[in-house]
Amino acid sequence: MAMTEAKVDPVLTEAPAGPVDGRAEPDAALAAACLFHGLADSSRVAILRHLLLGEHNVRRLTEHLGLAQSTVSGHLACLRDCGLVTSRPVGRSSVFRVTEPSLVTALFATAEQLLAATGDAVVLCPDTGAATTR
């Protein structure tokens, strides 16, 4: 009975020995943590997911998502400051879009796979789960 050798991606299993994308490991970890902190609000995730469907202004986002205008505006400002969305003027308002839609789509797809693999563990987590965010 022959055994096949599983291919393992060393990038996923070993800590980098040197800089990652020109940054030292602590800086890369901090940048990743900041990204995830920017995505740590369910309203921001909902806004990003909706913007993946196409450009929207604040009014349309409030209608589609059932959120208050001030809530949407605040979250869009956060997402813009994080570099995740951009805006352009259209008449007297602005329309927003996802800056890197293919990368955000890939991130959400990977997150869904990880959530499926871990079940409800993240939702039930006593430190960061759903009970702590309400």
Side-chain angles (χ1 to χ4, degrees):
M1 176 185 216
M3 295 186 64
T4 59
E5 183 176 315
K7 294 190 179 208
V8 177
D9 185 350
V11 172
L12 299 176
T13 57
E14 299 175 10
V20 177
D21 292 336
R23 288 185 260 190
E25 180 61 25
D27 292 341
L30 177 61
C34 289
L35 171 66
F36 289 121
H37 185 73
L39 296 172
D41 186 283
S42 61
S43 294
R44 285 194 291 273
V45 171
I47 289 168
L48 270 177
R49 291 176 74 90
H50 204 73
L51 288 175
L52 286 170
L53 301 172
E55 293 183 327
H56 285 73
N57 62 22
V58 173
R59 184 185 57 79
R60 286 185 62 202
L61 286 168
T62 61
E63 291 170 359
H64 290 289
L65 300 173
L67 299 170
Q69 183 274 329
S70 60
T71 299
V72 171
S73 293
H75 287 309
L76 284 169
C78 175
L79 293 168
R80 185 178 48 233
D81 291 345
C82 291
L84 296 171
V85 301
T86 59
S87 63
R88 64 181 177 85
V90 174
R92 292 176 44 197
S93 66
S94 296
V95 292
F96 293 83
R97 68 174 183 84
V98 176
T99 305
E100 298 289 342
S102 61
L103 294 175
V104 172
T105 299
L107 178 65
F108 284 151
T110 301
E112 288 172 9
Q113 291 174 344
L114 184 57
L115 288 168
T118 60
D120 291 331
V122 71
V123 175
L124 299 174
C125 176
D127 294 323
T128 61
T132 65
T133 59
R134 292 178 190 202

